Amino acid sequence: MIILFLAGCGRHSDRAELVFVNGAEPESLDPAIITGQPEGRIVNALFEGLLSYDEHGQAVPGMAERWEVSPDGLIYTFHIRPDAKWSDNSPLLASDFVESWRRTLTPATGSQYNYQLHPVKNARAFSEGKITDFSQVGVRAADERTLVVELENPTPYFLQLCAFPTLHPVPVRLIERLGDDWIKPGNIIGNGAYTLESWRINDKIRLRKNPHYWDRDHVALETIDILPISDANVAFNFYASGLADLLMDKGLAPPALLDDLKKRPDFHAAPFLGIYFLRFNCSKGPFTDERVRRAFSLAVDKNRIVEKITRAGETAANGFVPPGITGYTGTDGLPYDPSEAARLLAEAGYPGGKGFPNATYLYSKSELNEAIAVELQNMWRDTLGVTVNLLRQEWKVYLNSLSLLDYDIARSSWVGDYPDPNTFLDMFLTGGGNNRTGWASQAYDALIAKASAELDPARRFAILRDTEDLLVKNAVPICPIYYYVGIQLYDPGTFGGIHANVLDEHPLRRIYKKSSPPPAKPQGILDFFKPSPPDHSAPAAVIHSAAQEMAIDAFATGKPGIGWPADISATSAAAYLSLLSEHNYLPAPTSPWPEGLRIANLSDADPGETAFLEIPLTDNTRFIMRKDGSSETVPAQSTRFTHEPPRTPAWLP
């Protein structure tokens, strides 16, 4: 009946090229204000930072076409691309970043994420009101197209931060004129791949391709509809009935259907840097006592939750930092220990739960959260003798309750903003915008500061491991539950550009619709590269983009010019070949690199050299890809390369 009713509401009229279910209704579309992943997906389509994430979760040039880093790692000089524009066709300038970062750091803005800018010199002091002269903050516009940023300490993940929404530019003059209304359709001005055409609360958001976006030729979809549905059963009904093309939120696959869904080709799951955890309110009530927090943590059987409820391949979490960060081994955390949990609660003055004050568990609306809440309620009752009340709230109300510390225990989640332990650990600094526990620790703050100043990567990770121990094993303001598995439901024969990655980044600008039916996979040569190519599922821009990333990776390894297997990272080579194969440009790769493939420098090639990619074909021809994305086949003996290795571009980090 639900499906029939929805279909009768006319959802198919004026259907967008992509319709996807995004989870909850956005709390805001202001890059400085948002804190949730559903909002982040939309904001990253409407705005773009100095860098942006691609479909593989890699930070790539965005508004900055290139950059230089000083030898001491403290000064970043970004060069804004000449065709960078706002969606009203006005130029985007380096000063727009200065004004936007000032707005984010200004305490009155209320940005809970402004600490993402704290690596910038004096940014923290300004955000805390210790200084009021913004000219002392380490960001300035050297000219209209040059942004200079000075850091407090070398920060290995700073370029990734430059792709994060909090650091996106916003139209400050417009905001000053319109106030909170600036994000409404008809008012909002962005600089991303899409514009906001309409926003009907609790119905849908319509995005339309931005004609002034610098990389518009590589944006495949003209229109996208985003549906705010947080109930897994309703979301799946939309998808199953054809009213939605894509489910893109970790809680939207109905738990009862997971065993069957996992067998289907449209079910896509992969681990990423995300965690489901509990917050304890350390500012009032019984959870101010560390023994009570430890007791409630030790009473949680996490394996039971992932085996009985989530069932999508998640793993129980003892530490707070998920696995997957190269070089980092996290804490072993607290075990499941019912006896010790009961002993600690008794020691705190509540033997068998007697006399324990009324406590409430807060969670946001979803079928998965509901099931986990009931399971936790049972565990605490059976182990501790405490009956915890359950309180479910809509997404916006729930976020507000967290911020106001209006809870006793709260369901929470966190997805890494960049691949470094710091993205998980620095959120619990004293007074941090995303702390939301009321917990404060000078020792913890000192460890984070010590890690930020440490230049040796191994020693820095060791300090962060000690920091995680303090958080999870000693003070226990939180209780890790499980590490996420990213889940998407979509037909891979219809849509492309969606790839599993550790940050769970799936930028809308990289998604494209394949032709129907897709062309048969060739047996040996690249059918796309024939002189008269057929109408193919993916535009040349997709391959051009992938090849460009490969060229950049070749330079970053220190061996620019001709690229052979030893010169290219295995990960990048595999990603590039996988992309070619996915779009039927190559059969499934049987080796890490096609023999004879050569990559030339994009930026510093001789003026007469227009090609940057050469692939030998099996019919005595070679495929040539030019810098502008055009291509042709030429005789095998012909080449467009100079064989002298070109200079390494200065903008590479």
Side-chain angles (χ1 to χ4, degrees):
M1 291 180 66
I2 292 175
I3 294 173
L4 291 174
F5 172 75
L6 294 173
C9 288
R11 288 269 184 180
H12 280 292
S13 62
D14 189 28
R15 180 187 173 92
E17 292 176 84
L18 171 68
V19 180
F20 83 90
V21 179
N22 189 42
E25 176 72 36
E27 59 170 329
S28 173
L29 294 180
D30 186 334
I33 299 300
I34 65 167
T35 59
Q37 191 179 28
E39 293 87 352
R41 295 191 189 103
I42 305 172
V43 164
N44 281 334
L46 298 174
F47 300 89
E48 185 170 277
L50 294 164
L51 282 79
S52 62
Y53 280 113
D54 66 10
E55 67 272 37
H56 301 292
Q58 299 297 315
V60 297
M63 290 294 105
E65 63 178 352
R66 56 190 177 89
W67 54 85
E68 298 98 40
V69 184
S70 62
D72 61 5
L74 294 178
I75 307 295
Y76 285 70
T77 304
F78 295 95
H79 301 276
I80 309 300
R81 52 181 79 250
D83 51 353
K85 294 182 178 181
W86 293 102
S87 56
D88 65 352
N89 202 28
S90 61
L92 186 144
L93 306 175
S95 58
D96 291 316
F97 281 94
V98 178
E99 293 174 357
S100 299
W101 291 10
R102 176 175 183 163
R103 173 180 178 262
T104 297
L105 288 168
T106 299
T109 302
S111 173
Q112 296 182 32
Y113 249 130
N114 65 12
Y115 64 86
Q116 298 287 40
L117 278 164
H118 285 179
V120 177
K121 184 177 180 180
N122 285 330
R124 180 170 187 169
F126 184 86
S127 71
E128 294 176 349
K130 296 178 180 178
I131 63 172
T132 57
D133 181 3
F134 191 74
S135 66
Q136 297 180 44
V137 178
V139 56
R140 63 183 177 86
D143 56 47
E144 288 190 343
R145 298 288 176 185
T146 308
L147 183 74
V148 180
V149 181
E150 182 178 0
L151 306 184
E152 294 276 10
N153 298 294
T155 305
Y157 49 85
F158 183 68
L159 289 176
Q160 284 81 6
L161 281 177
C162 289
F164 193 72
T166 311
L167 278 68
H168 289 355
V170 294
V172 174
R173 298 291 175 266
L174 177 72
I175 297 170
E176 292 173 346
R177 180 163 55 88
L178 297 180
D180 292 342
D181 287 343
W182 81 273
I183 62 173
K184 293 182 178 179
N187 293 342
I188 189 170
I189 295 173
N191 69 316
Y194 288 91
T195 60
L196 181 66
E197 181 171 295
S198 64
W199 182 2
R200 299 203 296 264
I201 302 297
N202 293 322
D203 181 22
K204 74 175 180 180
I205 288 176
R206 166 65 63 90
L207 304 182
R208 185 169 293 276
K209 184 176 174 180
N210 179 5
H212 305 299
Y213 179 57
W214 70 272
D215 201 26
R216 57 190 173 276
D217 292 341
H218 295 173
V219 178
L221 300 177
E222 185 68 29
T223 55
I224 299 174
D225 280 348
I226 302 167
L227 309 183
I229 303 172
S230 57
D231 185 280
N233 287 320
V234 176
F236 185 74
N237 279 342
F238 268 76
Y239 176 74
S241 64
L243 295 176
D245 305 306
L246 168 66
L247 301 189
M248 191 148 66
D249 197 75
K250 46 195 175 290
L252 293 179
L257 301 180
L258 275 173
D259 290 340
D260 290 329
L261 287 175
K262 286 189 290 186
K263 303 172 185 176
R264 294 170 35 158
D266 60 344
F267 181 85
H268 310 270
F272 66 95
L273 297 179
I275 185 170
Y276 192 108
F277 69 101
L278 310 182
R279 280 180 163 97
F280 297 112
N281 188 339
C282 303
S283 68
K284 62 181 181 179
F287 294 101
T288 58
D289 189 327
E290 181 182 299
R291 294 169 298 180
V292 173
R293 301 195 298 266
R294 290 175 64 86
F296 272 71
S297 296
L298 290 166
V300 176
D301 186 348
K302 302 164 187 179
N303 286 317
R304 184 167 148 193
I305 291 174
V306 297
E307 293 167 4
K308 179 181 176 181
I309 299 175
T310 64
R311 304 197 330 274
E314 297 88 350
T315 55
N318 289 324
F320 189 65
V321 179
I325 297 175
T326 303
Y328 182 78
T329 302
T331 181
D332 53 359
L334 295 177
Y336 171 53
D337 191 338
S339 298
E340 177 65 7
R343 188 194 69 78
L344 282 170
L345 194 67
E347 183 182 294
Y350 308 107
K354 294 178 181 178
F356 196 85
N358 187 46
T360 299
Y361 176 79
L362 173 70
Y363 62 100
S364 54
K365 181 181 177 181
S366 86
E367 184 180 350
L368 181 64
N369 289 340
E370 180 90 31
I372 292 175
V374 172
E375 194 68 30
L376 290 170
Q377 185 185 50
N378 292 336
M379 291 177 185
W380 290 325
R381 183 195 62 222
D382 296 344
T383 301
L384 302 175
V386 176
T387 298
V388 175
N389 301 316
L390 304 183
L391 177 60
R392 182 182 69 184
Q393 293 181 340
E394 295 291 340
W395 180 248
K396 290 183 181 181
V397 180
Y398 156 80
L399 290 177
N400 188 56
S401 296
L402 279 183
S403 297
L404 296 176
L405 296 181
D406 187 14
Y407 70 88
D408 296 305
I409 313 171
R411 169 266 171 197
S412 298
S413 65
W414 193 255
V415 177
D417 302 322
Y418 45 90
D420 188 275
N422 191 75
T423 188
F424 291 90
L425 300 176
D426 73 346
M427 63 190 287
F428 295 106
L429 285 167
T430 299
N434 283 315
N435 182 312
R436 297 176 174 179
T437 64
W439 177 67
S441 167
Q442 292 183 353
Y444 189 87
D445 297 348
L447 284 170
I448 291 289
K450 183 179 179 182
S452 297
E454 178 55 62
L455 300 182
D456 180 80
R459 287 198 294 267
R460 176 174 172 270
F461 276 3
I463 296 168
L464 290 174
R465 163 66 188 257
D466 292 341
T467 309
E468 189 182 7
D469 274 341
L470 174 58
L471 179 72
V472 174
K473 296 178 70 173
N474 299 325
V476 202
I478 60 167
C479 173
I481 301 297
Y482 64 83
Y483 301 123
Y484 272 124
V485 167
I487 295 175
Q488 297 89 39
L489 281 170
Y490 68 92
D491 178 6
T494 302
F495 290 97
I498 306 171
H499 298 272
N501 59 78
V502 296
L503 295 179
D504 200 34
E505 289 285 348
H506 307 288
L508 300 180
R509 74 185 191 280
R510 294 297 186 109
I511 298 177
Y512 60 91
K513 200 166 187 176
K514 298 181 179 180
S515 61
S516 181
K521 187 164 287 191
Q523 298 299 313
I525 65 171
L526 315 182
D527 62 352
F528 174 75
F529 299 148
K530 291 296 184 182
S532 299
D535 181 20
H536 204 271
S537 61
V542 174
I543 300 305
H544 171 265
S545 176
Q548 181 174 356
E549 293 167 19
M550 287 302 304
I552 291 171
D553 191 78
F555 305 151
T557 60
K559 298 183 178 179
I562 298 174
W564 297 104
D567 302 345
I568 312 295
S569 75
T571 301
S572 294
Y576 178 56
L577 292 178
S578 174
L579 184 64
L580 288 174
S581 177
E582 175 185 343
H583 301 308
N584 304 311
Y585 300 159
L586 272 179
T590 56
S591 61
W593 197 253
E595 183 178 357
L597 188 148
R598 298 196 267 186
I599 297 174
N601 192 311
L602 295 177
S603 303
D604 293 340
D606 293 339
E609 299 299 324
T610 60
F612 73 86
L613 177 66
E614 239 182 65
I615 300 180
L617 307 181
T618 59
D619 54 356
N620 297 317
T621 60
R622 302 184 70 80
F623 166 73
I624 299 295
M625 178 76 82
R626 298 188 184 89
K627 285 187 288 185
D628 62 2
S630 62
S631 61
E632 67 174 317
T633 55
V634 298
Q637 63 271 23
S638 173
T639 183
R640 303 292 177 89
F641 290 108
T642 56
H643 290 278
E644 177 183 354
R647 300 180 302 279
T648 301
W651 55 266
L652 286 168

